[in-house]
Amino acid sequence: MSECVRYPAPGCVVEYMEGNAVQIAMVTEEAGGRLRLLLPNRRETRLNASRLLPWLGPQQAAGLSREEAVRLLETHRETREAAAAAVPLMDAWELAQGEVESAPAPWFAELFASAPDVDAVAAWGRALLACKSHFRFQPPEFQVFSAEMAEKRAAEETARQEREALMAGGAAFFRLLWDVACKKRVLPPATGPGSEDWPDPHVARRLEETLRARMADPETQEHEALWRGLSKGLPDVPHLPLQLLMAWGKLPPHYNFWLDRADYAPGDTWWEPLTNEVQALGLAATGPEAAALPHCPLPFMSIDSASTRDVDDAFYVRATDDGLELTLALACPALCWEFGGPLDRLVLHRGSSIYLPEGDCHMLPQCLGTGAYSLQAGEDRPAFCVRVRVDANGSYGPCEIFTARARLAANLHYEDCQAVLDAQAAQTPLPDNAAAPFADQLALGLDLARRRQAARIAAGAVIMDRPEPVIHLHGPATDPQVEVALDYHAPDAQLLVAEMMILASAAVAELAQKAGLPLLHRTQDVALPKEYAGVWTAPADMTRVMRALTPSALEVQPRPHAALGLPRYTPMTSPLRRYPDLVNEAQLVHFLRTGGPRWDTEALAALLQTLHPVLDAVGQVQRFRPRYWKLLYFRQQGDKIWWPGVITEENDVMVSVSLPEQGMFVRGKRRLFDERACPGMAVRLRLGKVQPLYNEMQILEAMTAE
């Protein structure tokens, strides 16, 4: 007869927990609460009676042989396991919930059977122990969880099981992917021979999600414990998730993970869920409000690179009795922009346009930024205009701001404009190009730019004349050939445009200061030695001067900008490309309409809290992605080429060298260089061990240039 017993004695079948699993055994000896137990595998163990589960029995007659005891234990175990699998746990939980807070295993067994035997009670005990989401074992009873707690624990249990499955199938798969990334193995197919190395689809999906999350945010704590387990034994390299995803085939070679870090959607589809709002804003460029603007008859012209499609500034210069007058027309998306709306939130999240060798990523939908609001020649566009006079000494007076409809006479390119300016300087016939009919405007514009640059230098401006190379990619995207070369040099045309933009931004900042109008300002409030003012071209000189400069900051307070030589500077000339400029333009348009600000100082400061991290992330994309392509270029060229450079800094340990033609800086150990090495010395370098993904390149050899 099988019955539950109260105290274990020799011959009693008992159960206990070991390794988070129920173990069955028979007592062979008992002394002072210490038990000797026989296990189904014929081994023996010792155990305190306090560790036994609270269902004891049945009690067998003394004198059983070891073989008989083992067969008996196997029979009871099979019976209990089968019965436990059939236990209606959820029915029992629903009956118990609200009736009892806790109950022993026999109570649950008696809900569904009268006089259950010890095997039935043990089966219920086993099932209750396994259902941790709805019950908690508090010896000798089981606590019954509420519906809310059961749901919470069920979710936790599901998550735990998923983590265990991920750990079981993911760690080995990650090691396989790393071997593939290191070219030690070829990734086997997901089906057929070799597919046993692959995790099941659900686990694979979670592994991909984990890798993408770590790639986009290496500091995330969301999957930290899981990631530590999955990556155990793999090298601690900066971009391991990216390399594993590329080895897996989930990402193409040369993938731009910096966009993921910035959460910046590439291409021109990110706005499509807001098509109606975008179309309405596009129509507003020629709608009643824009049509009501007064027409400005000036024949404005723009100057940009040949690839520019988002034209956001144009100018007209005329001579006056005492100097020159600039009228600058700026694209005006702020005219009908809905700040705080769905499109605005997306554009704020982008923060700025990004210009990369593989393609541009525009801040605005292209139908707006390169279409409806871009200043295209021969088409009426809403414009925000700034008019300011410059005297013979380059000083500027108060500016006038207004909104108008503008129609450009031409969209010119730097190369054509430079050719015209060169011909004027040499007093030779003008070239036959699109800029020739505007030669007089170009001459006036260059005169104004030179006056302004001289005035800024007199005020302490520091100008770095550093040529920026252009990166071209040729061939398939998965295996491009990189070309890095200096762009066509158009110093006068570029100076003309740059000084006009700086002038307008400075003049508007002065107007806002006098009117008490809050704006976003670009500041660099640092004291510079007077001898640092001027135009610098030598790499060593530029490095020395740059050491004294601090990075500029975007602030509400209108503090000085040292490098520009200005008491205050308000970015507002690129509203199609930069969100701060769009905000400043909107503030100025609202001021024209109402005489007051759209945002007060506190509101702009609050906006900056959101905008700063966005601009920092976008800035990383713009800095690091071109550098990646430059490093790939050096790797493709091999380690046998000697590259010309100029030493910019040196000490007893390291030497820094500028590579002007590639716009790069490299550092090498002092022992590689001539003992006479000093800033300004021309050298030649042999470079190698290039790792574009890790932003690494080493100087292998160095010698003094002849």
mmCIF file of all heavy atoms in Angstrom, residues 609-639:
data_model
loop_
_atom_site.group_PDB
_atom_site.id
_atom_site.type_symbol
_atom_site.label_atom_id
_atom_site.label_comp_id
_atom_site.label_asym_id
_atom_site.label_seq_id
_atom_site.Cartn_x
_atom_site.Cartn_y
_atom_site.Cartn_z
ATOM 1 N N GLN A 609 18.869 71.690 -25.921
ATOM 2 C CA GLN A 609 19.082 70.447 -25.188
ATOM 3 C C GLN A 609 18.798 69.239 -26.078
ATOM 4 O O GLN A 609 19.438 68.189 -25.945
ATOM 5 C CB GLN A 609 18.187 70.411 -23.944
ATOM 6 C CG GLN A 609 18.494 71.486 -22.923
ATOM 7 C CD GLN A 609 19.916 71.377 -22.384
ATOM 8 O OE1 GLN A 609 20.375 70.296 -22.006
ATOM 9 N NE2 GLN A 609 20.619 72.497 -22.350
ATOM 10 N N THR A 610 17.835 69.379 -26.959
ATOM 11 C CA THR A 610 17.530 68.312 -27.917
ATOM 12 C C THR A 610 18.471 68.351 -29.111
ATOM 13 O O THR A 610 18.896 67.314 -29.625
ATOM 14 C CB THR A 610 16.075 68.446 -28.414
ATOM 15 O OG1 THR A 610 15.190 68.381 -27.294
ATOM 16 C CG2 THR A 610 15.729 67.354 -29.406
ATOM 17 N N LEU A 611 18.825 69.541 -29.543
ATOM 18 C CA LEU A 611 19.585 69.707 -30.775
ATOM 19 C C LEU A 611 21.061 69.339 -30.626
ATOM 20 O O LEU A 611 21.663 68.777 -31.562
ATOM 21 C CB LEU A 611 19.447 71.154 -31.252
ATOM 22 C CG LEU A 611 19.927 71.496 -32.664
ATOM 23 C CD1 LEU A 611 19.290 70.571 -33.686
ATOM 24 C CD2 LEU A 611 19.618 72.954 -32.977
ATOM 25 N N HIS A 612 21.656 69.620 -29.476
ATOM 26 C CA HIS A 612 23.087 69.370 -29.304
ATOM 27 C C HIS A 612 23.486 67.919 -29.573
ATOM 28 O O HIS A 612 24.405 67.668 -30.368
ATOM 29 C CB HIS A 612 23.530 69.794 -27.902
ATOM 30 C CG HIS A 612 23.888 71.248 -27.812
ATOM 31 N ND1 HIS A 612 23.631 72.020 -26.693
ATOM 32 C CD2 HIS A 612 24.476 72.080 -28.697
ATOM 33 C CE1 HIS A 612 24.050 73.250 -26.901
ATOM 34 N NE2 HIS A 612 24.561 73.318 -28.113
ATOM 35 N N PRO A 613 22.861 66.927 -28.932
ATOM 36 C CA PRO A 613 23.274 65.537 -29.223
ATOM 37 C C PRO A 613 23.024 65.132 -30.670
ATOM 38 O O PRO A 613 23.767 64.328 -31.224
ATOM 39 C CB PRO A 613 22.433 64.703 -28.245
ATOM 40 C CG PRO A 613 21.316 65.591 -27.807
ATOM 41 C CD PRO A 613 21.837 66.975 -27.871
ATOM 42 N N VAL A 614 21.987 65.695 -31.285
ATOM 43 C CA VAL A 614 21.714 65.391 -32.691
ATOM 44 C C VAL A 614 22.861 65.895 -33.568
ATOM 45 O O VAL A 614 23.391 65.164 -34.416
ATOM 46 C CB VAL A 614 20.384 66.030 -33.130
ATOM 47 C CG1 VAL A 614 20.206 65.929 -34.644
ATOM 48 C CG2 VAL A 614 19.216 65.364 -32.421
ATOM 49 N N LEU A 615 23.267 67.131 -33.354
ATOM 50 C CA LEU A 615 24.339 67.704 -34.169
ATOM 51 C C LEU A 615 25.668 67.022 -33.899
ATOM 52 O O LEU A 615 26.495 66.858 -34.812
ATOM 53 C CB LEU A 615 24.442 69.206 -33.904
ATOM 54 C CG LEU A 615 23.225 70.043 -34.326
ATOM 55 C CD1 LEU A 615 23.440 71.515 -33.985
ATOM 56 C CD2 LEU A 615 22.929 69.877 -35.813
ATOM 57 N N ASP A 616 25.905 66.612 -32.656
ATOM 58 C CA ASP A 616 27.138 65.877 -32.338
ATOM 59 C C ASP A 616 27.187 64.561 -33.110
ATOM 60 O O ASP A 616 28.225 64.194 -33.675
ATOM 61 C CB ASP A 616 27.225 65.608 -30.838
ATOM 62 C CG ASP A 616 27.526 66.864 -30.035
ATOM 63 O OD1 ASP A 616 27.966 67.859 -30.637
ATOM 64 O OD2 ASP A 616 27.319 66.842 -28.806
ATOM 65 N N ALA A 617 26.064 63.840 -33.119
ATOM 66 C CA ALA A 617 26.023 62.546 -33.814
ATOM 67 C C ALA A 617 26.197 62.721 -35.316
ATOM 68 O O ALA A 617 26.938 61.969 -35.966
ATOM 69 C CB ALA A 617 24.709 61.831 -33.501
ATOM 70 N N VAL A 618 25.521 63.722 -35.887
ATOM 71 C CA VAL A 618 25.646 63.974 -37.324
ATOM 72 C C VAL A 618 27.070 64.414 -37.656
ATOM 73 O O VAL A 618 27.633 64.038 -38.690
ATOM 74 C CB VAL A 618 24.623 65.031 -37.768
ATOM 75 C CG1 VAL A 618 24.863 65.453 -39.209
ATOM 76 C CG2 VAL A 618 23.207 64.485 -37.626
ATOM 77 N N GLY A 619 27.663 65.201 -36.777
ATOM 78 C CA GLY A 619 29.045 65.626 -36.990
ATOM 79 C C GLY A 619 30.012 64.453 -37.026
ATOM 80 O O GLY A 619 30.992 64.467 -37.786
ATOM 81 N N GLN A 620 29.751 63.431 -36.218
ATOM 82 C CA GLN A 620 30.607 62.240 -36.254
ATOM 83 C C GLN A 620 30.519 61.549 -37.603
ATOM 84 O O GLN A 620 31.530 61.072 -38.129
ATOM 85 C CB GLN A 620 30.206 61.283 -35.134
ATOM 86 C CG GLN A 620 30.633 61.734 -33.760
ATOM 87 C CD GLN A 620 30.375 60.669 -32.714
ATOM 88 O OE1 GLN A 620 29.460 59.856 -32.830
ATOM 89 N NE2 GLN A 620 31.182 60.661 -31.677
ATOM 90 N N VAL A 621 29.312 61.451 -38.143
ATOM 91 C CA VAL A 621 29.167 60.847 -39.475
ATOM 92 C C VAL A 621 29.995 61.630 -40.491
ATOM 93 O O VAL A 621 30.738 61.049 -41.288
ATOM 94 C CB VAL A 621 27.686 60.823 -39.913
ATOM 95 C CG1 VAL A 621 27.554 60.139 -41.266
ATOM 96 C CG2 VAL A 621 26.824 60.118 -38.879
ATOM 97 N N GLN A 622 29.862 62.953 -40.470
ATOM 98 C CA GLN A 622 30.530 63.796 -41.461
ATOM 99 C C GLN A 622 32.048 63.752 -41.312
ATOM 100 O O GLN A 622 32.783 63.878 -42.308
ATOM 101 C CB GLN A 622 30.033 65.238 -41.335
ATOM 102 C CG GLN A 622 30.453 66.146 -42.469
ATOM 103 C CD GLN A 622 29.823 65.749 -43.799
ATOM 104 O OE1 GLN A 622 28.645 65.934 -44.033
ATOM 105 N NE2 GLN A 622 30.632 65.163 -44.681
ATOM 106 N N ARG A 623 32.552 63.540 -40.090
ATOM 107 C CA ARG A 623 34.007 63.483 -39.881
ATOM 108 C C ARG A 623 34.586 62.104 -40.186
ATOM 109 O O ARG A 623 35.573 61.973 -40.907
ATOM 110 C CB ARG A 623 34.353 63.864 -38.444
ATOM 111 C CG ARG A 623 34.151 65.316 -38.112
ATOM 112 C CD ARG A 623 34.844 65.673 -36.802
ATOM 113 N NE ARG A 623 34.452 64.792 -35.709
ATOM 114 C CZ ARG A 623 33.381 64.968 -34.941
ATOM 115 N NH1 ARG A 623 32.576 65.985 -35.184
ATOM 116 N NH2 ARG A 623 33.096 64.144 -33.949
ATOM 117 N N PHE A 624 33.976 61.083 -39.611
ATOM 118 C CA PHE A 624 34.608 59.770 -39.637
ATOM 119 C C PHE A 624 34.380 59.000 -40.930
ATOM 120 O O PHE A 624 35.220 58.195 -41.319
ATOM 121 C CB PHE A 624 34.129 58.937 -38.445
ATOM 122 C CG PHE A 624 34.676 59.413 -37.136
ATOM 123 C CD1 PHE A 624 33.855 60.005 -36.194
ATOM 124 C CD2 PHE A 624 36.022 59.278 -36.844
ATOM 125 C CE1 PHE A 624 34.360 60.446 -34.986
ATOM 126 C CE2 PHE A 624 36.543 59.713 -35.639
ATOM 127 C CZ PHE A 624 35.717 60.303 -34.704
ATOM 128 N N ARG A 625 33.251 59.214 -41.586
ATOM 129 C CA ARG A 625 33.004 58.435 -42.796
ATOM 130 C C ARG A 625 33.982 58.791 -43.916
ATOM 131 O O ARG A 625 34.564 57.887 -44.534
ATOM 132 C CB ARG A 625 31.556 58.634 -43.249
ATOM 133 C CG ARG A 625 31.162 57.762 -44.428
ATOM 134 C CD ARG A 625 31.330 56.278 -44.135
ATOM 135 N NE ARG A 625 30.837 55.459 -45.231
ATOM 136 C CZ ARG A 625 30.948 54.149 -45.284
ATOM 137 N NH1 ARG A 625 31.545 53.497 -44.293
ATOM 138 N NH2 ARG A 625 30.464 53.468 -46.309
ATOM 139 N N PRO A 626 34.227 60.075 -44.248
ATOM 140 C CA PRO A 626 35.252 60.362 -45.261
ATOM 141 C C PRO A 626 36.633 59.838 -44.857
ATOM 142 O O PRO A 626 37.408 59.404 -45.714
ATOM 143 C CB PRO A 626 35.229 61.895 -45.353
ATOM 144 C CG PRO A 626 33.839 62.274 -44.940
ATOM 145 C CD PRO A 626 33.498 61.298 -43.855
ATOM 146 N N ARG A 627 36.931 59.880 -43.566
ATOM 147 C CA ARG A 627 38.233 59.355 -43.122
ATOM 148 C C ARG A 627 38.329 57.851 -43.404
ATOM 149 O O ARG A 627 39.399 57.344 -43.753
ATOM 150 C CB ARG A 627 38.430 59.650 -41.639
ATOM 151 C CG ARG A 627 39.801 59.216 -41.112
ATOM 152 C CD ARG A 627 40.021 59.654 -39.679
ATOM 153 N NE ARG A 627 41.269 59.135 -39.158
ATOM 154 C CZ ARG A 627 42.455 59.711 -39.314
ATOM 155 N NH1 ARG A 627 42.538 60.842 -39.992
ATOM 156 N NH2 ARG A 627 43.551 59.176 -38.813
ATOM 157 N N TYR A 628 37.215 57.141 -43.234
ATOM 158 C CA TYR A 628 37.223 55.714 -43.547
ATOM 159 C C TYR A 628 37.634 55.489 -45.003
ATOM 160 O O TYR A 628 38.477 54.631 -45.306
ATOM 161 C CB TYR A 628 35.830 55.127 -43.297
ATOM 162 C CG TYR A 628 35.675 53.698 -43.772
ATOM 163 C CD1 TYR A 628 35.994 52.628 -42.937
ATOM 164 C CD2 TYR A 628 35.224 53.420 -45.059
ATOM 165 C CE1 TYR A 628 35.863 51.318 -43.380
ATOM 166 C CE2 TYR A 628 35.088 52.112 -45.513
ATOM 167 C CZ TYR A 628 35.407 51.064 -44.669
ATOM 168 O OH TYR A 628 35.276 49.772 -45.106
ATOM 169 N N TRP A 629 37.038 56.267 -45.924
ATOM 170 C CA TRP A 629 37.365 56.092 -47.336
ATOM 171 C C TRP A 629 38.821 56.465 -47.622
ATOM 172 O O TRP A 629 39.481 55.825 -48.461
ATOM 173 C CB TRP A 629 36.427 56.917 -48.204
ATOM 174 C CG TRP A 629 35.012 56.447 -48.196
ATOM 175 C CD1 TRP A 629 33.911 57.127 -47.775
ATOM 176 C CD2 TRP A 629 34.521 55.168 -48.647
ATOM 177 N NE1 TRP A 629 32.773 56.371 -47.921
ATOM 178 C CE2 TRP A 629 33.118 55.160 -48.454
ATOM 179 C CE3 TRP A 629 35.140 54.042 -49.189
ATOM 180 C CZ2 TRP A 629 32.331 54.059 -48.792
ATOM 181 C CZ3 TRP A 629 34.356 52.942 -49.528
ATOM 182 C CH2 TRP A 629 32.976 52.961 -49.323
ATOM 183 N N LYS A 630 39.330 57.485 -46.940
ATOM 184 C CA LYS A 630 40.741 57.839 -47.134
ATOM 185 C C LYS A 630 41.655 56.704 -46.675
ATOM 186 O O LYS A 630 42.646 56.376 -47.350
ATOM 187 C CB LYS A 630 41.068 59.127 -46.372
ATOM 188 C CG LYS A 630 40.430 60.373 -46.951
ATOM 189 C CD LYS A 630 40.795 61.594 -46.109
ATOM 190 C CE LYS A 630 40.118 62.852 -46.630
ATOM 191 N NZ LYS A 630 40.450 64.049 -45.816
ATOM 192 N N LEU A 631 41.343 56.106 -45.542
ATOM 193 C CA LEU A 631 42.163 54.993 -45.058
ATOM 194 C C LEU A 631 42.078 53.805 -46.010
ATOM 195 O O LEU A 631 43.085 53.119 -46.252
ATOM 196 C CB LEU A 631 41.713 54.597 -43.652
ATOM 197 C CG LEU A 631 42.070 55.592 -42.541
ATOM 198 C CD1 LEU A 631 41.367 55.234 -41.248
ATOM 199 C CD2 LEU A 631 43.577 55.633 -42.327
ATOM 200 N N LEU A 632 40.886 53.549 -46.549
ATOM 201 C CA LEU A 632 40.764 52.475 -47.524
ATOM 202 C C LEU A 632 41.599 52.786 -48.767
ATOM 203 O O LEU A 632 42.206 51.885 -49.367
ATOM 204 C CB LEU A 632 39.297 52.277 -47.900
ATOM 205 C CG LEU A 632 39.002 51.115 -48.860
ATOM 206 C CD1 LEU A 632 39.452 49.781 -48.282
ATOM 207 C CD2 LEU A 632 37.521 51.076 -49.215
ATOM 208 N N TYR A 633 41.651 54.044 -49.145
ATOM 209 C CA TYR A 633 42.482 54.462 -50.274
ATOM 210 C C TYR A 633 43.953 54.123 -50.019
ATOM 211 O O TYR A 633 44.628 53.545 -50.884
ATOM 212 C CB TYR A 633 42.306 55.956 -50.503
ATOM 213 C CG TYR A 633 43.326 56.599 -51.397
ATOM 214 C CD1 TYR A 633 43.294 56.405 -52.782
ATOM 215 C CD2 TYR A 633 44.336 57.404 -50.870
ATOM 216 C CE1 TYR A 633 44.228 57.005 -53.609
ATOM 217 C CE2 TYR A 633 45.273 58.003 -51.689
ATOM 218 C CZ TYR A 633 45.223 57.800 -53.058
ATOM 219 O OH TYR A 633 46.158 58.391 -53.869
ATOM 220 N N PHE A 634 44.447 54.458 -48.829
ATOM 221 C CA PHE A 634 45.847 54.143 -48.511
ATOM 222 C C PHE A 634 46.078 52.636 -48.523
ATOM 223 O O PHE A 634 47.126 52.167 -48.993
ATOM 224 C CB PHE A 634 46.215 54.718 -47.142
ATOM 225 C CG PHE A 634 46.523 56.189 -47.165
ATOM 226 C CD1 PHE A 634 45.630 57.106 -46.643
ATOM 227 C CD2 PHE A 634 47.703 56.655 -47.705
ATOM 228 C CE1 PHE A 634 45.908 58.460 -46.657
ATOM 229 C CE2 PHE A 634 47.995 58.014 -47.731
ATOM 230 C CZ PHE A 634 47.086 58.922 -47.209
ATOM 231 N N ARG A 635 45.121 51.860 -48.016
ATOM 232 C CA ARG A 635 45.299 50.406 -48.008
ATOM 233 C C ARG A 635 45.325 49.859 -49.430
ATOM 234 O O ARG A 635 46.115 48.960 -49.748
ATOM 235 C CB ARG A 635 44.181 49.739 -47.206
ATOM 236 C CG ARG A 635 44.440 48.243 -46.991
ATOM 237 C CD ARG A 635 43.478 47.645 -46.009
ATOM 238 N NE ARG A 635 42.132 47.511 -46.564
ATOM 239 C CZ ARG A 635 41.105 47.009 -45.901
ATOM 240 N NH1 ARG A 635 41.259 46.623 -44.625
ATOM 241 N NH2 ARG A 635 39.918 46.911 -46.450
ATOM 242 N N GLN A 636 44.480 50.410 -50.303
ATOM 243 C CA GLN A 636 44.465 49.945 -51.688
ATOM 244 C C GLN A 636 45.757 50.301 -52.421
ATOM 245 O O GLN A 636 46.166 49.581 -53.333
ATOM 246 C CB GLN A 636 43.264 50.540 -52.417
ATOM 247 C CG GLN A 636 41.921 49.975 -51.959
ATOM 248 C CD GLN A 636 40.731 50.631 -52.647
ATOM 249 O OE1 GLN A 636 40.881 51.678 -53.299
ATOM 250 N NE2 GLN A 636 39.557 50.046 -52.510
ATOM 251 N N GLN A 637 46.405 51.389 -52.019
ATOM 252 C CA GLN A 637 47.647 51.789 -52.682
ATOM 253 C C GLN A 637 48.827 50.914 -52.273
ATOM 254 O O GLN A 637 49.853 50.895 -52.957
ATOM 255 C CB GLN A 637 47.964 53.258 -52.371
ATOM 256 C CG GLN A 637 46.914 54.235 -52.867
ATOM 257 C CD GLN A 637 46.682 54.134 -54.356
ATOM 258 O OE1 GLN A 637 47.621 54.198 -55.150
ATOM 259 N NE2 GLN A 637 45.425 53.962 -54.748
ATOM 260 N N GLY A 638 48.696 50.188 -51.152
ATOM 261 C CA GLY A 638 49.775 49.317 -50.700
ATOM 262 C C GLY A 638 50.790 50.052 -49.849
ATOM 263 O O GLY A 638 50.715 51.269 -49.643
ATOM 264 N N ASP A 639 51.756 49.296 -49.333
ATOM 265 C CA ASP A 639 52.728 49.864 -48.394
ATOM 266 C C ASP A 639 54.097 50.121 -49.024
ATOM 267 O O ASP A 639 55.100 50.240 -48.321
ATOM 268 C CB ASP A 639 52.879 48.949 -47.173
ATOM 269 C CG ASP A 639 53.340 47.546 -47.545
ATOM 270 O OD1 ASP A 639 53.629 47.299 -48.736
ATOM 271 O OD2 ASP A 639 53.416 46.689 -46.637
#
